[in-house]
Amino acid sequence: MVRVRFAPSPTGLLHVGALRTALYNDLFARHHNGKTILRIEDTDRTRFVEGAEQDFIDMCEWAGIKFDEGPTIGGEYGPYRQSERTDLYRQHAELLIERETAYYAFDTAEEIDAMRTRQKAAGIAPKYDRSSMRNQFTLGAEETARLLAEGAEHTVRLFVPLVGETRTTDMVRGESVFANRLIDDQILLKSDGFPTYHLANIVDDHHMNITHVIRGEEWLPSLPKHIIMYEAFGWDPPQFAHLPLILNKDRKKFSKRDGDVSVVDFIEKGYMPEALVNFCALLGWNPSADREIYTYEEMTEAFEIAKVNKSGAIFDYEKLDWMNGMYLRSVPVERIVVDLLPMLKERGQEPSEAYAAAVVTLVRERINFTHEIPDFADYLFGEITEVDEAYREKHWKGETPERVAELAVRLDDLAPVDWTDARIEEVVRGYAEELGVGAGKLIHPIRLTTTGKKVGAGMFETMTVLGQQKTVARMKSFGESQ
Ligand code: GLU
C-alpha cells in the first residue's frame, strides 16, 4: 500500500511551495488508493513558531487536502510530532554507534568554526575532518567513555566512508552517483540531545512505513546522505521524488522578496481554494499540453510522478488571477454571495441575497475576484457616484438628451412583467431603427446615464437587474442634471 507523508517544519506559516508538496503527496496517494500522513518535524526548537502547526492543518483543509493520519487525527504509527518521539531517535543513534556507522564527537562550536576557517583558507570544500577533530577516533575509546561519563557536551555523527560512491535514484531525475569522499559526516544527534532533521526524518519514514518520499528539490543534496543512513541501518529506502523549484519571473527562487508567499496571504487576497490548488498543481506538472483547468478528482486521476518536470516552475501571478476568474465563473453563485454580502455591508449596502446573486451572475464574466464586485458594480448597489467625463463628452451631445428622454418614456411604458433583456432590447433597437441610427448610438448614452461608466456587463442585462424604476429614473434625471 502506498503511504506518503507531508512533513513540514513548524518554522512559519504554510508557504505556497509547501502547499504544492502537500498536494502532490495527496494526489499521488489518492491516485494509488494509498494514505497521506501529516508529520510535524519540530526538532529544531530554535526555529519553532507557535501556531504554525495549526496553520498547516487549517490551510491544507482549506485546500481540500485530507490527511489519513497525523497529530490531530492519530493513527497506527504515531505520535506524529517528532518532538514526542525523541527516545526513538536516540535509540537509533545508539544503534548506529554500536554498528560503528556513527560516532561521538566532542568539538565545540569554536573548534568547528576554526576548522571551517582553515579549510576556507586552504581552498577545500567545508566538511567535517574526522582525522583532526575531537571525536571517538582521535580521542580513543577510553577518553570517549570518560568524557561521556562526565556528561561532556557531544554530538553523534554519521560515519561516511572516504572511499567508494553512493548511487541515488529519483523518480523525477533518474540516477546519480556521488563520491563518498565529498559527503559530510552529518550530525545525527545535536548537543541538546535532539536529533537533526536527517536522523529523525529517516527513522520516521522507516517506522511509519513510508513508501514514497515526495518533497522539494532543496532536499536533493541530502539524498546521498540519506541513502548512506539507510544502508547503515540495513533498511530498504523508500522511493524518492524531488519536485522542481518554484521560481519568480526572473527565474530566481520564489521567496518572500516576491511578496506574500504564505497560503493565508493568498486567502486574504481573495483567491479561491480551487484556483490556488489548480494553479499550484500545475507548478511542475501538467498531464495535457492544451488544458489548464482540472478538478481535484481529475488531477487525482491523472497524477503521475513520471510526468513531473525537472526544470523550475515559474510562479505567474497573471495566470493565477486568470484561474481565479475561471473558478469565480464556475462555482455556484451562492458561494460568491456569501463572501460578497459582508463586503457590501462594510460600505453600508445591504441588498437582498437574491439581488446580490443577480448582480454576481451579471458581472462575474468580467472580473477575477469577488472583492472587485462592489466597485465594479457600485451603481447596482447604490447611486451613481461618479460619471466618466470622457465617456460623457463622447456620448452626450446633439440629439442625445432628447433621444434618451424619449427612450425613458418608452421603457417606462413596458409592463413590469416585460422588464426582460429581450423586451428591453426590442424597445431600444426598435427606436434606433425608427431613427435610422445604429443601436450603439442609443446604448452608449443609456450606459452613461444608468451606470456613469464606460465598462460594464451587457447593457440590456444590466438594465434588467437594475430594475425598471431605477433605470427610467436615472435616464430622466441624468438629462435634467446636465
Ligand atoms: N521538514 C522538512 C521540510 O520542512 C521535510 C523535508 C522532507 O520532506 O523530507 O521541508
Side-chain angles (χ1 to χ4, degrees):
M1 135 109 70
V2 162
R3 285 176 59 86
V4 298
R5 81 313 191 261
F6 175 49
S9 298
T11 55
L13 299 173
L14 190 73
H15 185 288
V16 275
L19 178 71
R20 182 196 58 176
T21 301
L23 184 61
Y24 279 27
N25 274 287
D26 197 47
L27 293 177
F28 183 76
R30 308 271 157 243
H31 183 91
H32 294 282
N33 287 319
K35 298 241 186 283
T36 314
I37 288 102
L38 173 65
R39 184 172 77 219
I40 303 296
E41 300 209 325
D42 57 351
T43 55
D44 187 350
R45 304 312 285 176
T46 58
R47 296 182 63 211
F48 181 81
V49 171
E50 196 68 50
E53 177 184 318
Q54 193 55 47
D55 178 70
F56 299 163
I57 294 171
D58 294 345
M59 295 303 109
C60 287
E61 196 185 330
W62 175 82
I65 298 169
K66 293 189 191 76
F67 296 107
D68 299 292
E69 294 171 34
T72 56
I73 313 160
E76 217 182 312
Y77 300 86
Y80 294 90
R81 283 183 202 100
Q82 289 188 328
S83 58
E84 294 165 13
R85 299 164 67 84
T86 48
D87 283 349
L88 186 71
Y89 311 129
R90 249 170 256 148
Q91 285 159 18
H92 281 80
E94 276 157 25
L95 190 75
L96 290 189
I97 290 171
E98 270 165 38
R99 293 185 179 183
E100 297 182 349
T101 50
Y103 60 92
Y104 294 109
F106 299 91
D107 317 282
T108 61
E110 292 73 36
E111 286 165 338
I112 295 283
D113 282 349
M115 174 191 82
R116 295 237 164 89
T117 314
R118 277 198 310 276
Q119 288 173 334
K120 208 169 172 196
I124 320 172
K127 182 175 180 269
Y128 184 75
D129 182 6
R130 213 155 50 209
S131 60
S132 71
M133 300 299 283
R134 287 199 310 126
N135 54 51
Q136 204 176 323
F137 300 106
T138 54
L139 299 173
E142 226 171 276
E143 177 64 359
T144 299
R146 194 189 64 75
L147 285 169
L148 289 175
E150 194 177 84
E153 243 190 40
H154 65 272
T155 59
V156 174
R157 284 184 180 265
L158 177 68
F159 181 92
V160 179
L162 282 173
V163 291
E165 48 191 32
T166 298
R167 198 170 286 273
T168 62
T169 311
D170 183 89
M171 292 167 83
V172 176
R173 276 144 226 277
E175 296 230 332
S176 307
V177 180
F178 298 82
N180 287 346
R181 68 189 155 73
L182 300 177
I183 301 171
D184 206 1
D185 279 3
Q186 177 62 49
I187 294 185
L188 302 178
L189 267 194
K190 295 179 281 186
S191 55
D192 61 4
F194 270 91
T196 53
Y197 151 75
H198 304 277
L199 176 65
N201 188 268
I202 269 151
V203 168
D204 280 350
D205 283 345
H206 175 72
H207 283 279
M208 294 183 179
N209 279 327
I210 300 301
T211 56
H212 297 80
V213 167
I214 304 169
R215 62 185 171 193
E217 188 182 291
E218 62 273 27
W219 297 106
L220 193 59
S222 300
L223 188 55
K225 248 181 246 177
H226 292 181
I227 296 296
I228 292 174
M229 288 168 72
Y230 277 103
E231 279 167 11
F233 281 118
W235 296 335
D236 284 337
Q239 283 186 267
F240 294 93
H242 288 86
L243 308 177
L245 287 178
I246 300 179
L247 308 171
N248 64 18
K249 274 217 195 112
D250 304 325
R251 304 200 68 84
K252 301 253 160 55
K253 198 173 171 197
F254 181 66
S255 72
K256 278 198 180 137
R257 256 167 279 142
D258 298 302
D260 294 330
V261 289
S262 301
V263 176
V264 72
D265 297 328
F266 287 85
I267 299 180
E268 275 164 17
K269 284 185 183 161
Y271 291 96
M272 306 174 80
E274 292 91 337
L276 191 64
V277 163
N278 192 155
F279 175 81
C280 284
L282 299 192
L283 289 171
W285 169 77
N286 191 341
S288 148
D290 50 14
R291 191 173 154 191
E292 305 267 23
I293 303 291
Y294 300 92
T295 63
Y296 209 97
E297 288 66 37
E298 288 168 337
M299 291 193 285
T300 303
E301 182 105 335
F303 193 75
E304 263 180 88
I305 296 272
K307 292 234 172 91
V308 170
N309 301 327
K310 289 190 202 54
S311 53
I314 309 265
F315 196 99
D316 178 352
Y317 278 99
E318 267 172 46
K319 180 169 163 184
L320 173 57
D321 290 359
W322 166 80
M323 232 176 226
N324 205 65
M326 295 297 282
Y327 279 99
L328 194 76
R329 269 154 241 148
S330 67
V331 299
V333 174
E334 296 69 40
R335 237 182 84 181
I336 303 171
V337 171
V338 167
D339 292 341
L340 177 63
L341 288 177
M343 296 177 193
L344 292 171
K345 194 159 186 194
E346 258 181 43
R347 299 158 73 115
Q349 295 163 335
E350 294 187 68
S352 69
E353 272 178 39
Y355 184 77
V359 176
V360 170
T361 310
L362 177 70
V363 303
R364 68 173 164 174
E365 282 299 327
R366 288 170 167 78
I367 49 165
N368 289 330
F369 294 92
T370 304
H371 60 69
E372 290 177 60
I373 300 176
D375 272 344
F376 187 86
D378 53 354
Y379 50 84
L380 288 169
F381 294 114
E383 292 310 317
I384 300 173
T385 48
E386 220 183 292
V387 173
D388 179 333
E389 263 315 300
Y391 194 51
R392 192 191 65 82
E393 263 171 43
K394 197 156 170 216
H395 296 288
W396 194 257
K397 54 187 180 200
E399 308 92 341
T400 325
E402 215 175 287
R403 288 173 178 172
V404 169
E406 171 58 20
L407 250 184
V409 172
R410 295 188 184 198
L411 289 170
D412 204 13
D413 283 347
L414 276 177
V417 286
D418 285 334
W419 193 253
T420 61
D421 309 349
R423 293 289 288 123
I424 297 169
E425 182 165 2
E426 241 176 69
V427 173
V428 176
R429 290 199 190 279
Y431 185 45
E433 251 172 58
E434 262 176 49
L435 294 171
V437 299
K441 282 265 179 292
L442 298 179
I443 293 172
H444 284 296
I446 300 177
R447 190 178 289 288
L448 172 71
T449 55
T450 58
T451 76
K453 288 183 184 176
K454 187 174 162 189
V455 182
M459 198 60 243
F460 306 122
E461 292 84 351
T462 304
M463 291 158 85
T464 309
V465 173
L466 185 60
Q468 189 173 20
Q469 278 185 1
K470 278 203 172 158
T471 305
V472 171
R474 284 184 188 180
M475 287 169 76
K476 285 186 177 160
S477 66
F478 190 91
E480 285 154 13
S481 69
Q482 298 302 305

